Amino acid sequence: MRQNARVTSEYRDDYQELVDEMSELLGAPATLENRDFELIAFGAYDSEGDLDPSVLDPVRTRSILTRRSTAAVRAWFEGFGITRATGPVRIPRTPEAGVHRGRICLPVRHRGVVLGYVWLLDYEPGPSEQQLAAAMRVTARIGALLADEAQHGADLTRELRAVLTAERDWHREMAVAELRAALGSRAEGPHTVVCVAPWPSADPDDAPSVRTVPGATALCTLPWGATASSLALLLRLRSTDVLAPATTAASRLLERVRGSGPGVGTGPAVAAGVAAARTGLADLGAAWREASASARAALAEPRLGPVAEWASIGPYRLLTALPPGAARDPVAGPLFSPAYAELARTAEVYLDCAGQAGRTAAELGVHRQTLYYRLARIERLTGLDLDDGEDRLLLHMALKAHRL
């Protein structure tokens, strides 16, 4: 069992101290990002010669406010060789790229591998060679810390995955015990589980670091269907009554996935689910089922998403618990033919509106007589009586299950 495992908040404090030390050393505010250009810490340096915040360019402002940079910005800066550099790299101002101020990039390395970057806006006369050399010595300490946390995060990733994929109760109990020991006192606090699906890659190296997700304790990738992957996130809460930190974290992860698309707004269809809050780790398996079911519901029913909480998905709480195909009923089969797509939508809206013709016609934008004609056709195709409560229930569940 690890004896040097450290909590994420302690890492954040250490990063902040090192960045503040570097800002003081260089006489300018420094920014620390990981190798994926996700913000870790920002140092504010206060002096008469400090930089005026009003001159911050769009790239730096976005990095600080959203805690990450776009793929285009990343490619731009990497074009100056910062991934291979072992010393400071000066990058000129390029207003057309949103870079209104020159930069100095200090690559953060550990054992020859780049793990992140320290950035500062270039200024006149700028830091001396002695200052930059001293700053590079600080980056070595940051690199060691990043490497240490990466190892810690990888361990928790394995432990979380073991809990969520255990097929037998005793396997799960052992995995929970391992995770509980790794988390220490944090294990007994309030938490929830978030599912983001589909996640674009099953490669653990493509998953975000826990330090870039506020409140994150551990995360891992898991299978999603036959060929895709999902991201599972264990997130601590201040209270079991407030899920806002989880929905915020889920929204940020969704933005990350959508930002991986070929252009703005063209990322893949993706949704997130949030389980009910819990105290302790005993029900992590159930929490993951709730989170993944909520993500499935949000993908099937866009009005529930893009972030769906378990408490809000209604009948999908039951439908997602059934084995694949179990909720299919042949009586509704004819409605799933492409030729009858309009009738299927009419039936679903009618049942969603509790069988109220006026509401249904308004929702569909049709005349009542058109609605009655469609309902009569639905009854003939299915053999169901839409005035019968059980027939309505059967059809409603079949239609919702078909979305899954």
Side-chain angles (χ1 to χ4, degrees):
M1 188 60 56
R2 289 187 311 277
Q3 297 182 4
N4 62 343
R6 307 171 62 192
V7 300
T8 303
S9 61
E10 291 176 342
Y11 280 109
R12 289 198 183 103
D13 291 343
D14 289 341
Y15 291 130
Q16 191 62 57
E17 288 180 8
L18 289 169
V19 170
D20 288 342
E21 178 183 338
M22 186 171 290
S23 297
E24 185 72 26
L25 177 65
L26 296 171
T31 301
L32 173 63
E33 295 179 339
N34 66 14
R35 62 186 174 191
D36 293 322
F37 285 56
E38 295 169 324
L39 184 67
I40 298 174
F42 173 74
Y45 178 77
D46 187 16
S47 74
E48 293 181 0
D50 198 4
L51 298 172
D52 182 355
S54 66
V55 301
L56 295 182
D57 57 42
V59 169
R60 187 174 177 87
T61 301
R62 185 187 190 281
S63 174
I64 294 172
L65 293 180
T66 68
R67 304 193 70 83
R68 67 191 303 266
S69 297
T70 65
V73 167
R74 173 177 176 174
W76 169 260
F77 284 118
E78 287 179 344
F80 289 90
I82 61 175
T83 60
R84 301 181 301 277
T86 57
V89 177
R90 291 184 182 272
I91 299 173
R93 64 185 294 270
T94 312
E96 60 269 26
V99 182
H100 294 175
R101 297 290 301 273
R103 301 285 202 280
I104 299 178
C105 175
L106 307 181
V108 177
R109 292 182 171 272
H110 182 73
R111 295 182 178 177
V113 178
V114 63
L115 300 179
Y117 307 99
V118 172
W119 301 91
L120 59 146
L121 297 178
D122 209 352
Y123 59 94
E124 294 294 339
S128 67
E129 293 301 318
Q130 292 78 9
Q131 285 177 303
L132 289 175
M136 287 301 297
R137 289 192 288 272
V138 179
T139 67
R141 291 156 58 195
I142 295 174
L145 194 64
L146 284 169
D148 181 62
E149 186 187 8
Q151 179 60 45
H152 170 62
D155 289 342
L156 286 182
T157 292
R158 291 193 294 271
E159 290 159 351
L160 179 61
R161 182 179 289 113
V163 173
L164 301 185
T165 59
E167 296 182 356
R168 298 180 181 275
D169 289 344
W170 66 275
H171 283 161
R172 182 173 292 105
E173 290 172 2
M174 291 178 60
V176 168
E178 289 286 328
L179 184 58
R180 183 180 289 115
L183 292 175
S185 60
R186 291 178 296 159
E188 303 310 317
H191 67 268
T192 188
V193 174
V194 174
C195 170
V196 180
W199 190 254
S201 173
D203 187 345
D205 291 337
D206 292 334
S209 167
V210 290
R211 68 175 170 273
T212 64
V213 183
T217 298
L219 56 80
C220 66
T221 55
L222 295 172
W224 182 263
T227 59
S229 299
S230 61
L231 184 78
L233 171 69
L234 177 63
L235 189 134
R236 62 185 178 276
L237 302 170
R238 292 183 179 276
S239 165
T240 55
D241 297 327
V242 181
L243 283 174
T247 56
T248 299
S251 296
R252 290 185 178 180
L253 290 169
L254 289 176
E255 290 175 2
R256 177 189 176 103
V257 176
R258 289 172 182 145
S260 67
V264 177
T266 61
V270 63
V274 180
R278 287 167 167 77
T279 300
L281 303 179
D283 291 333
L284 271 188
W288 170 244
R289 289 191 293 273
E290 291 177 3
S292 57
S294 300
R296 285 181 64 198
L299 287 169
E301 190 78 76
R303 65 179 175 81
L304 296 175
V307 179
E309 297 180 14
W310 170 252
S312 71
I313 64 173
Y316 289 105
R317 291 204 294 266
L318 294 176
L319 292 172
T320 54
L322 297 175
R328 295 176 185 169
D329 192 282
V331 74
L335 291 178
F336 302 139
S337 167
Y340 296 123
E342 187 175 64
L343 292 182
R345 179 169 180 266
T346 296
E348 186 170 9
V349 172
Y350 176 71
L351 294 168
D352 285 345
C353 291
Q356 297 179 27
R359 286 178 55 198
T360 306
E363 180 74 19
L364 295 172
V366 300
H367 193 276
R368 280 201 186 200
Q369 287 303 120
T370 301
L371 172 63
Y372 294 142
Y373 170 74
R374 291 183 185 179
L375 294 177
R377 291 190 66 196
I378 291 168
E379 289 182 325
R380 286 196 299 271
L381 279 170
T382 62
L384 297 174
D385 179 0
L386 294 182
D387 288 330
D388 182 273
E390 291 191 357
D391 281 3
R392 284 191 185 188
L393 177 61
L394 174 60
L395 181 57
H396 209 179
M397 291 297 98
L399 290 166
K400 295 300 183 186
H402 184 67
R403 286 186 173 274
L404 291 173

